[in-house]
Amino acid sequence: MFAAVALLGAIVAVVLVGTVGRYVGRPVVWSDEVAQALFIWLAMLAADLTLQRAGHFRIDVLVGLLPPRLRFLLELAIKVTIAVLLVFLVYYGMRLVRLSDPRPLPMTGVPSSFAAAALPVAYGLMIITVVEQIVRHWRGLPEVHGERDVM
Amino acid sequence: MLTLIAVLFFVFLAIGVPVAFALGLATVPVFMVGDYMPLTVAMQRMYGATQSFPLLAVPFFILAGNLMNITGITDRLLTFARLLTGWMVGGLAQVSIVLSALMGGISGSAVADAAMESRLLGPAMARRGYATGFTASVIAFSSVITATIPPSIGLILFGFISEVSIGRLLLGGVVPGILMTAVLMGVTSLVAHRMGYEPELAERPAFREVAASFFDCIWALLFPVFLLIGFRFGVFTATEAGAIVVAYALAIGTFVYRELTWDNLIAAMRDSVFDIGMVMLIIVMAAVLGHALTIEQAPHAITGFLAGLPGDKYVTLFAVLAIVFLAGTVMEATVNVLLVTPLVLPALVHVGFDPVHMGVVMIILVSVGGNTPPVGVIMYTVCGILKCSFADFVKWSWPYVVAMVVLIAAMALVPEIVLFLPDHLM
């Protein structure tokens, strides 16, 4: 949570520096690149945080019509399926990181794998989140919901 | 291959899998089974989707809207709206509509606006004896104005996804937003007269009072003007504008209204992070689908089908708007902007419609979809806060639905309503 808030602040600052720099005649060549590299981390960590609060948009009208027992099983199956998907995404995400490792970003020279690593890391965190939710679900505990809706 | 992806996607969607994961679950297995392309390429697309400088505008405007809410601007705008329209019949309902229009200039999110107004005005409206269904409908429909007047997150996303000028789109939202305010106020006045709802203020306020309140919120009211001037003269890009806006909100909160504290700054950033998380995961997952669609030349096929409908271009227009409206009733507005509009826009452009014109019309249409069953995020939010049943909401909302449909049809058929400002100013 703290990391995501800090990243958001950092991105705003970097883009501002870039904009102001252009106007005072000292363009900051690395600002776009750094902002984008930070952005993928922000986006992916935020996606996990949203998952923790069950904030990803879903259509639950049909599910609501099912009898409780069936609904319990369906919800369980959905969570397990998502966990399996995430395992694949982590695996292939790591391959992408390995592939992109030797390629430096044009301005800063930082290996682009630093940015690409956001994918497997965040998918990994999401696995933890989903497994947690499966355990809660199994014990019959209610889902954790955010108090605020999205957009 | 695509049929399989589509079937999987809709099945997952229907059984309640979140949209972002339904996208992943529909595409990833298909990639693995066929020797379609390696999954590493899919990961590459996910990575590529986030490496876009224009896309950064979205988190910035989400953050700026949340910041403005905590700087004390909202309360000042409410005072101003109350003085402007509180003396009318059904005063508080009119206040809610005008407040949405004023908020539209600093916030780009309909749901945030609807939630804020339900908490702020809902209890007062109940005390005045307004029916809950009426209160909920007014607040829900007026929030569409917020999503139309610049900055509008829906329009920015649309511009990014469909590669349409964001500056022109935002300018195009101005006149429809103002028209919508007038139309909703007219409908509200009719309903309020019939129900005999009393005004909020006993008499019209003195001009001096209104002027004082106007200057109190001048910083918020100047904001959209400042933004549009910046775009018009190309002083900054949408992304840079977003960062500047965040700085502007911080400066006003700290130096002008002095209501910004460290705690609520962090709270606003946290709220923004959650909003960003949902939008971005869909963009990331949809990038893989987008790649598959392109390989299969699906957009080409869809364009061919829609543009080839018998009759003139208005048949195509009607078909597309019907699809978008149906999608709007079952899916959330952002999701529709990301998934549906890029597929149907090329057909409209092909038969001769302007992408900016169509963009504004479609964004308003999907926002209205947030107020209709079976799935309406604005409706859920408002009814949740106000403790209003969906049946009650629907009963009171039909005059507004009719008014909006007529207004949207007018905007679709008379492009000048949308294009007047962008054509003359840009």
Side-chain angles (χ1 to χ4, degrees):
Chain A
M1 183 74 246
F2 174 76
V5 168
L7 276 169
L8 181 57
I11 294 173
V12 175
V14 168
V15 174
L16 272 181
V17 167
T19 312
V20 174
R22 216 181 63 210
Y23 276 94
V24 298
R26 297 187 55 183
V28 185
V29 288
W30 48 264
S31 69
D32 291 15
E33 192 177 290
V34 172
Q36 284 172 35
L38 294 177
F39 182 42
I40 186 172
W41 278 98
L42 168 65
M44 297 310 296
L45 290 182
D48 178 48
L49 289 167
T50 310
L51 183 65
Q52 285 175 17
R53 309 211 309 186
H56 286 288
F57 176 74
R58 53 181 287 204
I59 298 177
D60 49 11
V61 182
L62 294 178
V63 185
L65 300 175
L66 293 174
R69 174 109 194 106
L70 213 58
R71 206 162 117 190
F72 176 85
L73 289 175
L74 181 64
E75 294 273 3
L76 191 68
I78 289 173
K79 287 185 166 63
V80 172
T81 318
I82 291 176
V84 173
L85 171 74
L86 287 168
V87 171
F88 278 104
L89 292 177
V90 169
Y91 175 73
Y92 284 97
M94 271 157 43
R95 285 189 51 175
L96 176 71
V97 171
R98 230 171 292 142
L99 282 174
S100 58
D101 191 36
R103 268 188 310 194
L105 292 170
M107 293 304 164
T108 43
V110 175
S112 57
S113 50
F114 273 88
L119 289 172
V121 169
Y123 287 138
L125 290 171
M126 283 185 223
I127 295 181
I128 299 175
T129 306
V130 174
V131 169
E132 250 169 36
Q133 284 174 352
I134 292 174
V135 172
R136 282 184 69 87
H137 189 71
W138 187 252
R139 292 187 185 153
L141 296 169
E143 275 191 339
V144 183
H145 273 281
E147 71 273 17
R148 205 165 153 272
D149 279 281
V150 185
M151 297 190 75
Chain B
M1 203 58 103
L2 273 186
T3 330
L4 182 58
I5 292 180
V7 169
L8 281 175
F9 174 66
F10 285 114
V11 167
F12 283 126
L13 205 58
I15 60 169
V17 177
V19 178
F21 292 108
L23 284 166
L25 286 171
T27 46
V28 169
V30 176
F31 278 24
M32 284 169 50
V33 175
D35 49 357
Y36 204 44
M37 63 177 176
L39 258 181
T40 329
V41 176
M43 301 304 297
Q44 176 70 47
R45 306 309 299 188
M46 292 183 180
Y47 172 70
T50 63
Q51 298 304 295
S52 151
F53 196 64
L55 188 57
L56 269 172
V58 175
F60 289 169
F61 278 103
I62 291 176
L63 176 60
N66 285 335
L67 279 178
M68 289 280 188
N69 258 336
I70 55 155
T71 50
I73 285 175
T74 313
D75 291 337
R76 288 173 172 82
L77 287 176
L78 175 61
T79 312
F80 185 50
R82 212 167 149 263
L83 289 173
L84 278 182
T85 54
W87 49 272
M88 294 177 181
V89 175
L92 277 175
Q94 305 287 16
V95 168
S96 131
I97 295 172
V98 173
L99 181 60
S100 287
L102 297 175
M103 283 299 293
I106 52 173
S107 157
S109 157
V111 174
D113 176 70
M116 180 273 292
E117 286 193 16
S118 304
R119 291 197 189 95
L120 215 57
L121 291 169
M125 287 165 94
R127 267 199 306 280
R128 284 267 164 192
Y130 293 16
T132 320
F134 173 68
T135 302
S137 299
V138 173
I139 291 178
F141 278 85
S142 67
S143 72
V144 178
I145 304 170
T146 313
T148 311
I149 291 180
S152 150
I153 292 170
L155 286 174
I156 295 173
L157 265 179
F158 175 82
F160 162 75
I161 295 283
S162 299
E163 295 175 342
V164 179
S165 157
I166 292 174
R168 279 176 62 89
L169 281 169
L170 290 181
L171 265 175
V174 176
V175 175
I178 294 170
L179 268 180
M180 216 184 296
T181 312
V183 168
L184 291 181
M185 286 181 73
V187 174
T188 303
S189 174
L190 287 177
V191 178
H193 269 106
R194 261 192 59 191
M195 301 301 298
Y197 289 147
E198 284 168 25
E200 166 76 355
L201 303 174
E203 53 188 31
R204 286 187 188 218
F207 178 74
R208 274 229 320 270
E209 223 180 326
V210 180
S213 166
F214 174 78
F215 283 110
D216 202 26
C217 41
I218 188 87
W219 293 107
L221 298 174
L222 271 183
F223 176 71
V225 179
F226 167 76
L227 188 73
L228 291 174
I229 291 174
F231 274 128
R232 164 64 185 84
F233 293 104
V235 181
F236 35 62
T237 64
T239 311
E240 291 172 348
I244 293 171
V245 167
V246 171
Y248 181 93
L250 279 177
I252 288 172
T254 326
F255 302 116
V256 183
Y257 296 147
R258 296 159 191 267
E259 284 177 28
L260 188 70
T261 62
W262 187 247
D263 282 350
N264 55 25
L265 172 65
I266 296 294
M269 290 181 84
R270 286 181 42 167
D271 284 345
S272 309
V273 165
F274 289 118
D275 293 352
I276 295 164
M278 187 199 85
V279 179
M280 283 310 300
L281 192 63
I282 293 176
I283 292 181
V284 163
M285 294 285 190
V288 185
L289 178 63
H291 192 65
L293 289 176
T294 319
I295 291 179
E296 300 268 334
Q297 299 192 318
H300 189 74
I302 294 172
T303 305
F305 172 72
L306 286 172
L309 287 175
D312 62 0
K313 63 177 187 175
Y314 292 103
V315 177
T316 306
L317 175 68
F318 180 78
V320 168
L321 293 186
I323 294 171
V324 172
F325 181 72
L326 282 179
T329 60
V330 291
M331 281 201 294
E332 205 261 332
T334 327
V335 181
N336 280 314
V337 174
L338 293 174
L339 298 181
V340 180
T341 59
L343 286 178
V344 295
L345 183 70
L348 291 170
V349 175
H350 184 82
V351 296
F353 288 102
D354 183 277
V356 172
H357 172 212
M358 286 297 116
V360 173
V361 171
M362 287 196 286
I363 298 303
I364 296 173
L365 198 52
V366 295
S367 304
V368 172
N371 290 329
T372 54
V375 180
V377 176
I378 304 177
M379 179 182 80
Y380 289 168
T381 309
V382 173
C383 289
I385 298 172
L386 295 173
K387 307 266 180 299
C388 164
S389 77
F390 295 154
D392 218 21
F393 181 89
V394 172
K395 199 181 94 194
W396 284 92
S397 69
W398 72 262
Y400 293 100
V401 177
V402 172
M404 285 301 231
V405 169
V406 171
L407 183 63
I408 291 170
M411 285 188 289
L413 297 174
V414 188
E416 285 75 22
I417 296 176
V418 175
L419 294 177
F420 179 79
L421 279 184
D423 280 350
H424 286 80
L425 293 177
M426 286 197 80

